[in-house]
Amino acid sequence: MRLTQYSHGSGWACKLAPSELAQVLKQFEQHKALKSENLIVGLENPDDGGVINVGETKIIQTVDFFTPILDNPYDWGRVAAANALSDIYAMGGEPISALQLVCWPREEIGFDILAEVINGGLDIMGEAGCTVIGGHSIDDKEPKYGFSVTGIIKDNPLLNNSISDKDSLYITKPLGIGIIATAIKKDIASEEEILEATNTMVGLNKEALRFAKDHNANALTDITGFGLLGHLSEMIRDTKLSAEINSKKIPVINGVEELLRKDIYPSGSQRNFASVKDKLIYKIEDDKIKLFCDAQTSGGLLISLPGNSAINPKEVKETYGIDIWEIGEINTKYNEKINII
Protein backbone atom coordinates (compact mmCIF):
# COMPACT_ATOMS: atom_id res chain seq x y z
CA MET A 1 0.00 0.00 0.00
CA ARG A 2 1.29 3.46 -0.97
CA LEU A 3 -0.03 5.78 1.69
CA THR A 4 1.16 8.90 -0.17
CA GLN A 5 -1.43 8.19 -2.87
CA TYR A 6 -4.15 9.06 -0.37
CA SER A 7 -2.68 12.53 0.11
CA HIS A 8 -3.32 15.60 -2.03
CA GLY A 9 0.05 16.98 -0.85
CA SER A 10 3.12 15.90 1.06
CA GLY A 11 3.67 16.65 4.74
CA TRP A 12 4.30 20.32 5.47
CA ALA A 13 3.91 21.22 1.78
CA CYS A 14 0.16 21.15 2.55
CA LYS A 15 0.55 24.10 4.88
CA LEU A 16 -1.23 27.37 4.11
CA ALA A 17 1.10 30.18 3.08
CA PRO A 18 1.97 32.92 5.61
CA SER A 19 0.18 35.55 3.50
CA GLU A 20 -2.97 33.42 3.39
CA LEU A 21 -3.00 32.93 7.15
CA ALA A 22 -2.33 36.61 7.80
CA GLN A 23 -5.29 37.58 5.63
CA VAL A 24 -7.64 35.47 7.75
CA LEU A 25 -6.19 36.16 11.20
CA LYS A 26 -6.08 39.92 10.69
CA GLN A 27 -9.87 39.96 11.17
CA PHE A 28 -9.50 38.71 14.75
CA GLU A 29 -6.65 40.84 16.09
CA GLN A 30 -8.82 42.36 18.84
CA HIS A 31 -10.79 39.23 19.72
CA LYS A 32 -10.94 38.67 23.48
CA ALA A 33 -10.06 34.98 23.04
CA LEU A 34 -6.60 36.08 21.87
CA LYS A 35 -5.94 38.25 24.93
CA SER A 36 -4.75 37.36 28.43
CA GLU A 37 -2.61 39.03 31.06
CA ASN A 38 -0.83 35.68 31.41
CA LEU A 39 0.01 35.37 27.71
CA ILE A 40 3.73 35.57 26.90
CA VAL A 41 3.81 34.49 23.24
CA GLY A 42 0.66 34.45 21.12
CA LEU A 43 -0.63 35.50 17.71
CA GLU A 44 0.39 39.14 18.19
CA ASN A 45 3.99 38.00 17.80
CA PRO A 46 3.74 34.62 16.03
CA ASP A 47 6.39 32.08 16.94
CA ASP A 48 6.85 28.31 16.84
CA GLY A 49 4.53 27.80 19.81
CA GLY A 50 2.34 29.67 22.24
CA VAL A 51 3.58 30.38 25.77
CA ILE A 52 1.41 31.23 28.77
CA ASN A 53 1.97 31.57 32.50
CA VAL A 54 0.11 29.09 34.68
CA GLY A 55 0.92 29.99 38.25
CA GLU A 56 4.71 29.93 38.50
CA THR A 57 5.09 27.67 35.47
CA LYS A 58 5.43 28.65 31.82
CA ILE A 59 3.52 26.31 29.50
CA ILE A 60 4.28 25.89 25.78
CA GLN A 61 1.54 24.59 23.51
CA THR A 62 1.83 23.48 19.90
CA VAL A 63 -0.10 21.34 17.42
CA ASP A 64 1.06 19.68 14.19
CA PHE A 65 -0.53 17.09 11.95
CA PHE A 66 -0.32 16.30 8.24
CA THR A 67 -1.07 13.88 5.43
CA PRO A 68 1.22 10.90 4.65
CA ILE A 69 4.71 12.01 3.70
CA LEU A 70 6.05 8.44 3.44
CA ASP A 71 4.56 5.16 2.24
CA ASN A 72 5.91 3.27 5.25
CA PRO A 73 3.26 3.75 7.99
CA TYR A 74 5.65 3.25 10.91
CA ASP A 75 8.06 5.85 9.52
CA TRP A 76 5.23 8.30 8.82
CA GLY A 77 4.22 8.00 12.49
CA ARG A 78 7.80 8.61 13.62
CA VAL A 79 8.14 11.69 11.41
CA ALA A 80 4.80 13.12 12.58
CA ALA A 81 5.88 12.80 16.21
CA ALA A 82 9.36 14.28 15.69
CA ASN A 83 7.84 17.16 13.76
CA ALA A 84 5.26 17.91 16.48
CA LEU A 85 7.94 17.87 19.18
CA SER A 86 10.17 20.22 17.21
CA ASP A 87 8.21 23.37 18.04
CA ILE A 88 8.62 22.73 21.77
CA TYR A 89 12.38 22.50 21.32
CA ALA A 90 12.34 25.58 19.07
CA MET A 91 10.84 27.59 21.95
CA GLY A 92 13.54 26.34 24.32
CA GLY A 93 11.23 23.99 26.20
CA GLU A 94 10.91 20.41 27.37
CA PRO A 95 8.00 18.31 26.04
CA ILE A 96 5.85 16.84 28.82
CA SER A 97 2.65 15.41 27.33
CA ALA A 98 0.92 14.93 23.99
CA LEU A 99 -2.49 14.17 22.50
CA GLN A 100 -2.78 12.23 19.24
CA LEU A 101 -4.79 13.53 16.28
CA VAL A 102 -6.03 10.89 13.82
CA CYS A 103 -8.05 11.25 10.60
CA TRP A 104 -8.62 7.87 8.97
CA PRO A 105 -10.54 6.51 5.93
CA ARG A 106 -11.97 3.60 7.91
CA GLU A 107 -13.43 1.77 4.89
CA GLU A 108 -10.38 2.14 2.64
CA ILE A 109 -7.31 1.55 4.81
CA GLY A 110 -7.17 -1.16 7.47
CA PHE A 111 -6.74 -0.41 11.15
CA ASP A 112 -3.64 -2.62 11.15
CA ILE A 113 -1.96 0.13 9.10
CA LEU A 114 -3.14 2.77 11.57
CA ALA A 115 -1.65 0.66 14.38
CA GLU A 116 1.74 0.84 12.65
CA VAL A 117 1.44 4.62 12.30
CA ILE A 118 0.61 5.00 15.99
CA ASN A 119 3.43 2.65 16.97
CA GLY A 120 5.91 4.87 15.15
CA GLY A 121 4.53 7.97 16.83
CA LEU A 122 4.67 6.41 20.28
CA ASP A 123 8.26 5.23 19.78
CA ILE A 124 9.46 8.77 19.06
CA MET A 125 7.42 10.24 21.90
CA GLY A 126 8.99 7.64 24.19
CA GLU A 127 12.45 8.58 22.95
CA ALA A 128 11.69 12.22 23.79
CA GLY A 129 10.36 11.35 27.25
CA CYS A 130 6.97 12.81 26.34
CA THR A 131 3.88 11.00 27.69
CA VAL A 132 0.97 10.42 25.29
CA ILE A 133 -2.16 10.86 27.41
CA GLY A 134 -4.97 10.52 24.87
CA GLY A 135 -6.21 11.96 21.61
CA HIS A 136 -9.07 12.29 19.13
CA SER A 137 -9.96 10.52 15.88
CA ILE A 138 -12.44 11.05 13.06
CA ASP A 139 -13.44 9.23 9.88
CA ASP A 140 -11.91 11.14 6.96
CA LYS A 141 -11.33 10.38 3.28
CA GLU A 142 -7.73 11.58 3.58
CA PRO A 143 -5.49 10.12 6.33
CA LYS A 144 -3.81 12.58 8.66
CA TYR A 145 -1.76 12.07 11.81
CA GLY A 146 -0.04 14.25 14.36
CA PHE A 147 0.03 15.57 17.91
CA SER A 148 -0.86 18.45 20.14
CA VAL A 149 2.13 18.78 22.48
CA THR A 150 2.48 20.55 25.82
CA GLY A 151 5.87 21.54 27.15
CA ILE A 152 7.31 23.53 30.03
CA ILE A 153 10.08 26.08 30.24
CA LYS A 154 11.83 27.35 33.36
CA ASP A 155 13.51 30.41 31.87
CA ASN A 156 12.29 32.85 29.26
CA PRO A 157 11.34 31.26 25.92
CA LEU A 158 13.77 31.45 23.02
CA LEU A 159 12.01 33.63 20.46
CA ASN A 160 12.42 33.47 16.70
CA ASN A 161 13.23 37.18 16.17
CA SER A 162 15.34 38.18 19.18
CA ILE A 163 18.44 38.41 16.99
CA SER A 164 21.37 40.82 17.38
CA ASP A 165 23.70 42.52 14.94
CA LYS A 166 26.72 40.38 13.98
CA ASP A 167 25.05 37.13 15.08
CA SER A 168 26.13 34.00 13.20
CA LEU A 169 23.47 31.74 11.67
CA TYR A 170 23.58 27.94 11.92
CA ILE A 171 21.30 25.12 10.77
CA THR A 172 21.27 21.54 12.03
CA LYS A 173 19.70 19.52 9.19
CA PRO A 174 20.10 19.55 5.39
CA LEU A 175 17.33 20.86 3.13
CA GLY A 176 15.26 19.14 0.44
CA ILE A 177 12.58 17.20 2.31
CA GLY A 178 9.68 18.76 0.40
CA ILE A 179 11.21 17.90 -2.96
CA ILE A 180 11.93 14.29 -1.96
CA ALA A 181 8.42 13.95 -0.52
CA THR A 182 7.01 15.03 -3.87
CA ALA A 183 9.26 12.51 -5.64
CA ILE A 184 7.99 9.78 -3.28
CA LYS A 185 4.41 10.69 -4.14
CA LYS A 186 5.28 10.47 -7.84
CA ASP A 187 7.05 7.13 -7.17
CA ILE A 188 10.37 8.28 -8.62
CA ALA A 189 12.47 8.69 -5.45
CA SER A 190 15.30 6.21 -5.01
CA GLU A 191 15.61 4.00 -1.93
CA GLU A 192 18.72 5.92 -0.93
CA GLU A 193 16.90 9.28 -1.13
CA ILE A 194 13.95 7.95 0.87
CA LEU A 195 16.25 6.50 3.54
CA GLU A 196 18.29 9.70 3.92
CA ALA A 197 15.14 11.84 4.06
CA THR A 198 13.55 9.52 6.63
CA ASN A 199 16.63 9.48 8.85
CA THR A 200 16.76 13.27 8.66
CA MET A 201 13.10 13.75 9.59
CA VAL A 202 12.94 11.30 12.52
CA GLY A 203 15.90 12.93 14.26
CA LEU A 204 14.82 14.90 17.32
CA ASN A 205 15.96 18.50 17.79
CA LYS A 206 16.53 17.86 21.49
CA GLU A 207 20.32 17.92 21.33
CA ALA A 208 20.28 20.83 18.89
CA LEU A 209 18.41 22.81 21.54
CA ARG A 210 20.97 21.81 24.17
CA PHE A 211 23.72 23.07 21.86
CA ALA A 212 21.86 26.36 21.32
CA LYS A 213 21.37 26.91 25.05
CA ASP A 214 24.97 25.98 25.90
CA HIS A 215 26.16 28.59 23.40
CA ASN A 216 23.79 31.37 24.54
CA ALA A 217 21.64 31.55 21.41
CA ASN A 218 19.93 34.89 20.90
CA ALA A 219 17.16 33.51 18.70
CA LEU A 220 15.87 30.13 17.62
CA THR A 221 13.32 28.63 15.25
CA ASP A 222 12.83 25.37 13.39
CA ILE A 223 12.84 25.09 9.61
CA THR A 224 9.53 23.54 8.61
CA GLY A 225 6.63 24.46 6.34
CA PHE A 226 7.78 27.95 5.31
CA GLY A 227 11.25 26.75 4.23
CA LEU A 228 14.60 28.23 5.22
CA LEU A 229 13.91 31.65 3.71
CA GLY A 230 10.40 31.86 5.12
CA HIS A 231 11.56 31.13 8.65
CA LEU A 232 14.60 33.38 8.25
CA SER A 233 12.30 36.21 7.17
CA GLU A 234 10.36 35.70 10.43
CA MET A 235 13.67 35.88 12.30
CA ILE A 236 14.43 39.39 10.98
CA ARG A 237 10.82 40.62 11.23
CA ASP A 238 10.46 43.99 13.02
CA THR A 239 14.18 44.10 13.86
CA LYS A 240 15.51 46.62 11.27
CA LEU A 241 18.30 44.08 10.76
CA SER A 242 19.08 41.93 7.72
CA ALA A 243 20.44 38.47 7.06
CA GLU A 244 23.19 37.47 4.66
CA ILE A 245 23.52 33.79 3.77
CA ASN A 246 26.10 31.95 1.69
CA SER A 247 24.32 29.65 -0.77
CA LYS A 248 27.39 27.41 -1.07
CA LYS A 249 27.38 26.60 2.64
CA ILE A 250 23.78 25.37 2.88
CA PRO A 251 23.61 21.54 3.08
CA VAL A 252 21.25 19.62 0.81
CA ILE A 253 20.11 16.00 0.93
CA ASN A 254 21.74 13.85 -1.76
CA GLY A 255 19.74 13.68 -4.98
CA VAL A 256 17.56 16.72 -4.30
CA GLU A 257 19.21 19.05 -6.82
CA GLU A 258 18.85 16.41 -9.53
CA LEU A 259 15.13 16.05 -8.70
CA LEU A 260 14.72 19.82 -8.85
CA ARG A 261 16.26 19.86 -12.32
CA LYS A 262 13.52 17.38 -13.29
CA ASP A 263 10.96 19.97 -12.18
CA ILE A 264 10.01 18.07 -9.02
CA TYR A 265 8.83 20.82 -6.69
CA PRO A 266 5.86 20.94 -4.28
CA SER A 267 3.14 23.57 -4.55
CA GLY A 268 3.63 24.55 -0.92
CA SER A 269 7.22 25.51 -1.67
CA GLN A 270 6.02 27.60 -4.62
CA ARG A 271 3.70 29.50 -2.27
CA ASN A 272 6.65 30.01 0.09
CA PHE A 273 8.64 31.72 -2.67
CA ALA A 274 5.70 33.97 -3.55
CA SER A 275 5.38 34.99 0.11
CA VAL A 276 9.04 35.87 0.62
CA LYS A 277 10.31 37.08 -2.78
CA ASP A 278 9.93 40.80 -1.96
CA LYS A 279 12.36 40.36 0.95
CA LEU A 280 15.12 38.74 -1.12
CA ILE A 281 18.26 40.18 -2.72
CA TYR A 282 20.08 37.67 -4.92
CA LYS A 283 21.90 37.06 -8.18
CA ILE A 284 22.30 33.30 -7.94
CA GLU A 285 20.33 30.82 -10.07
CA ASP A 286 16.61 30.45 -9.46
CA ASP A 287 16.87 26.74 -8.62
CA LYS A 288 18.91 27.59 -5.53
CA ILE A 289 16.28 30.06 -4.37
CA LYS A 290 13.56 27.47 -4.95
CA LEU A 291 15.51 24.97 -2.88
CA PHE A 292 15.88 27.43 -0.01
CA CYS A 293 12.08 27.98 -0.08
CA ASP A 294 11.36 24.24 -0.04
CA ALA A 295 8.79 23.28 2.60
CA GLN A 296 10.51 21.09 5.18
CA THR A 297 8.85 18.51 7.41
CA SER A 298 10.60 17.93 10.74
CA GLY A 299 13.51 20.11 9.66
CA GLY A 300 16.43 21.23 11.78
CA LEU A 301 16.84 24.27 13.98
CA LEU A 302 17.89 27.68 12.67
CA ILE A 303 20.07 29.15 15.41
CA SER A 304 21.31 32.73 15.82
CA LEU A 305 24.43 32.75 18.01
CA PRO A 306 26.48 35.72 19.23
CA GLY A 307 29.07 36.59 16.58
CA ASN A 308 32.02 35.90 18.88
CA SER A 309 31.03 32.23 19.27
CA ALA A 310 33.77 29.83 18.19
CA ILE A 311 32.04 26.72 16.83
CA ASN A 312 33.88 23.62 15.66
CA PRO A 313 31.44 21.29 13.81
CA LYS A 314 33.55 18.24 14.60
CA GLU A 315 33.46 19.00 18.34
CA VAL A 316 29.70 19.65 18.13
CA LYS A 317 29.23 16.23 16.54
CA GLU A 318 31.28 14.55 19.27
CA THR A 319 29.54 16.39 22.12
CA TYR A 320 25.93 16.59 20.96
CA GLY A 321 25.72 13.93 18.24
CA ILE A 322 24.38 16.42 15.68
CA ASP A 323 25.65 18.00 12.48
CA ILE A 324 25.80 21.76 12.22
CA TRP A 325 26.52 24.20 9.40
CA GLU A 326 27.30 27.92 9.62
CA ILE A 327 25.39 29.53 6.73
CA GLY A 328 25.54 33.29 7.27
CA GLU A 329 25.20 36.25 9.59
CA ILE A 330 22.96 39.03 10.82
CA ASN A 331 23.97 42.58 9.88
CA THR A 332 22.70 46.12 9.27
CA LYS A 333 23.29 46.32 5.50
CA TYR A 334 19.63 46.21 4.53
CA ASN A 335 16.39 46.80 6.40
CA GLU A 336 14.76 43.41 7.03
CA LYS A 337 15.99 41.88 3.79
CA ILE A 338 17.74 38.56 3.07
CA ASN A 339 20.85 38.91 0.93
CA ILE A 340 21.87 35.60 -0.70
CA ILE A 341 25.38 35.37 -2.11
Side-chain angles (χ1 to χ4, degrees), residues 85 95-98 122 124-132 149-150:
L85 289 161
I96 298 299
S97 65
L122 294 180
I124 290 295
M125 286 293 172
E127 181 182 336
C130 184
T131 305
V132 178
V149 186
T150 299

Side-chain angles (χ1 to χ4, degrees), residues 236-253:
I236 61 175
R237 181 192 64 236
D238 299 329
T239 65
K240 296 184 180 180
L241 296 171
S242 60
E244 183 170 283
I245 61 174
N246 188 329
S247 60
K248 295 180 181 179
K249 293 185 176 182
I250 298 174
V252 179
I253 294 173

